[in-house]
Amino acid sequence: SVQDKNAHSIPRYVRVNTLKTTVEDVIDYLKREGYSYQGTARRIEDLRHLSGKMFMGDVHLRDLLVFSAKMDFHNHYLYKAGHLILQDKASCLPAYLLDPPVGGHVIDACAAPGNKTSHLAAVMKNKGKLFAFDLDAKRLSTMSTLLLRAGVTCHQLANQDFLKVDPLAPEYKDVKHILLDPSCSGSGMVCLPDGGSEEQDGERLQALSAFQLHCLNHALRFPQLQRVVYSTCSIHSQENEEVVSACLEKNPGFRLVHLFPEWPERGHGPLTQCLRASTTETLTHGFFVAMLERQTTPSDGES
Ligand code: SAM
């Protein structure tokens, strides 16, 4: 199928866990094992030509190394030791773009299995507070293992419905950043059996989209919130641009941030501030990212 062909043409991305090592050390280690480092890619197109043991630094994200589609690091020492996180490039965008400060208070609203949580912790240099919620106990236990291996220590895991987390509770009074990566149709995931299929059940999409909007509206209720990043691995506007537009309509105090000007694939319709990712344009899974920011008025901070 077309889908399978696309899956083969997507390079393999590996995020270097800067809580445990550096990009330079990983490159040296791999070179000693016979991998051949090709330098940093200058254009997305460069990533199409990787084969065998060749690898490159990514065009956009500094902590990302790129390998040929056939490479598999699941049994590699650096993966088992938590130095490498096996994470598609598109799914590295949310934490990178949210860019919470070292020492900040951050919520990862739908966090399991925790790849974005560990990325947030790396950006925060393991300092501050990272509140991570998930409804699914089993996924949360996988997540504990993953975070332990990755050396993350600034987190607090809770088996809790994010929609029931009280934004006014004292422990969240300093939360300025939220990453919201809620359940979605997964239609952008190329390795799923029906990934990218056009035959999504309309009712299911409707329910997902209502849930996603509910979560996004809830995130904006945290009193000190400055920015929220909303992401899905869906290709459906109903779960992406339409959720963001409905949320902005309901929350006039927030606006979209124009993300990553050099990123080639943009949100559909008028929402060009947002990012899209795809197998064909960005050589990643299908993905969507938006960032909403609280509008500041000249009188802010004076009252
Ligand atoms: N951010 C994760 C990562 O990068 O590893 C992936 C998150 S996955 C797309 C969505 C998660 O949301 C699932 O683990 C699911 O259990 C969780 N979830 C669904 N509804 C939720 C709710 N109401 N509150 C908290 N978590 C929820």
Side-chain angles (χ1 to χ4, degrees), residues 51-114:
S51 66
K53 289 190 119 182
M54 284 161 45
F55 73 110
M56 298 188 109
D58 182 56
V59 202
H60 298 102
L61 304 179
R62 198 170 41 87
D63 299 336
L64 215 59
L65 298 174
V66 195
F67 298 80
S68 82
K70 292 195 188 82
M71 198 56 76
D72 184 358
F73 279 96
H74 280 95
N75 294 316
H76 197 277
Y77 164 77
L78 290 180
Y79 168 67
K80 290 185 173 167
H83 292 209
L84 298 180
I85 313 283
L86 310 183
Q87 190 173 2
D88 183 58
K89 176 172 173 176
S91 98
C92 294
L93 290 169
Y96 171 80
L97 294 168
L98 186 62
D99 193 24
V102 174
H105 287 203
V106 179
I107 287 178
D108 190 346
C110 298

Side-chain angles (χ1 to χ4, degrees), residues 108-116 133-136 139 160-163 181-183 211:
D108 190 346
C110 298
N115 278 333
K116 297 183 189 76
F133 303 104
D134 204 282
L135 256 187
D136 187 325
R139 286 169 67 94
Q160 207 175 329
D161 181 345
F162 174 62
L163 293 172
D181 184 44
S183 298
F211 164 72

